Structure formats: structure tokens, C-alpha cells
Amino acid sequence: MIIVRRVATGVASHFKARFGEWISALILLNWGLVLSCLGPIFDRPAMAWLAEIGGQQQWGVACYSIGLARTLALVLNGTFAGTPWSRFSPHVRALMSVLSCLVWTSVSLSVLSQSDISQIGIGLAVYPVLALTDLFSCACASLDARNSDEVHRYGRAAR
């Protein structure tokens, strides 16, 4: 019960500041589940470029794994302050943001590579925004990582 309370308190204390990261992690997790569990999505012309890189199942497993790892990193972030994990938590968050950004950039490029411009659909309204959100999250996590490194080295955060 104590560990549940500690995790709940840790998540709640950082949730507002990490809201974009939580949303992105959950969207990626869900997207991975959809790719893994639903019928042929990569048969659509907008997903042809992604299909050339890897199969729908591989993309689904990769997206689900990144989303799950990112969710776990966010749960651990701040929950275990003062432990060795807390020093590297921002580094892991930055890495997960980069991986997520690469996924959404790839999806955006796949949608954009659609030869018939009238068939692009709403994908270009959503996927690039997710990529930009993750790019912003990476910048924020990188600053947190720098501060963490400065505290570890000098006992104070960078300005």
C-alpha cells in the first residue's frame, strides 16, 4: 500500500508539468495496440511508405513498446527522488521523446508520400503535431537532464 501511495503521489506531483508527455505516451501505446490487434491498416495508400520499412505487426510492437517504456519512465519520474534512477530519469524521458518523434515523423512522411494529394486525409493535421509535441518534450527533458547532470557534478542546477 505504501508503494502505491508513493507512485500515486509521484505521478500526481509531476503530472501537470509532464502532461504532454503522458498524452503522447498513451497515444503511441494505443496506436501500437491498434496496429497489432486490428485488421490491415497498412493496406491503405497513406501507410505504403511505412509498410515498405516494416510490417504492420512490427510497427505495432515497436510503438507499443516505446509507449509502454515511456509510460513506465513517467511513472518512475519523480516517484523515486533521491535514488540512482532519479538522476537518469530525464535522460530516459528525452530518449523516449526522440523515439516517439521519429515514429510520428515517419507516419507523417508516409501520409505525405501519398501520390494523390486529394487522398491524404486528416493525417497531416494530426501526425506532424504529435511529432512537434514530442520534439518540444525532448527539449524540455533535455533541459531537465542538463540540470540533473549539473546537480550531480556541482551540487546545483544550471541556470
Side-chain angles (χ1 to χ4, degrees):
M1 187 62 168
I2 292 172
I3 192 83
V4 172
R5 184 179 307 158
R6 183 174 183 173
V7 169
T9 303
V11 168
S13 68
H14 289 89
F15 187 77
K16 188 175 179 181
R18 311 274 183 265
F19 182 74
E21 292 181 59
W22 277 102
I23 293 299
S24 187
L26 295 175
I27 290 171
L28 192 59
L29 191 68
N30 287 336
W31 210 71
L33 283 172
V34 165
L35 290 179
S36 297
C37 299
L38 292 184
I41 293 172
F42 274 28
D43 289 351
R44 298 173 186 169
M47 296 293 131
W49 189 72
L50 285 181
E52 289 178 21
I53 297 172
Q56 180 174 325
Q57 198 66 26
Q58 287 123 346
W59 275 98
V61 169
C63 291
Y64 181 81
S65 299
I66 294 167
L68 182 62
R70 192 169 187 185
T71 302
L72 291 173
L74 287 166
V75 167
L76 293 175
N77 179 67
T79 300
F80 298 99
T83 66
W85 164 258
S86 64
R87 173 166 180 237
F88 296 107
S89 173
H91 299 82
V92 173
R93 287 180 28 242
L95 174 64
M96 293 295 109
S97 294
V98 167
L99 293 175
S100 189
C101 184
L102 289 173
V103 168
W104 297 127
T105 301
S106 298
V107 175
S108 298
L109 290 173
S110 187
V111 171
L112 191 58
S113 72
Q114 168 66 280
S115 59
D116 185 0
I117 196 78
S118 67
Q119 296 297 315
I120 286 180
I122 63 169
L124 284 182
V126 176
Y127 299 124
V129 174
L130 292 172
L132 288 173
T133 300
D134 282 322
L135 189 60
F136 178 76
S137 294
C138 180
C140 292
S142 295
L143 181 59
D144 291 346
R146 178 178 174 220
N147 286 333
S148 175
D149 291 342
E150 292 291 319
V151 167
H152 180 73
R153 277 191 207 111
Y154 307 114
R156 59 180 167 71
R159 294 179 192 234

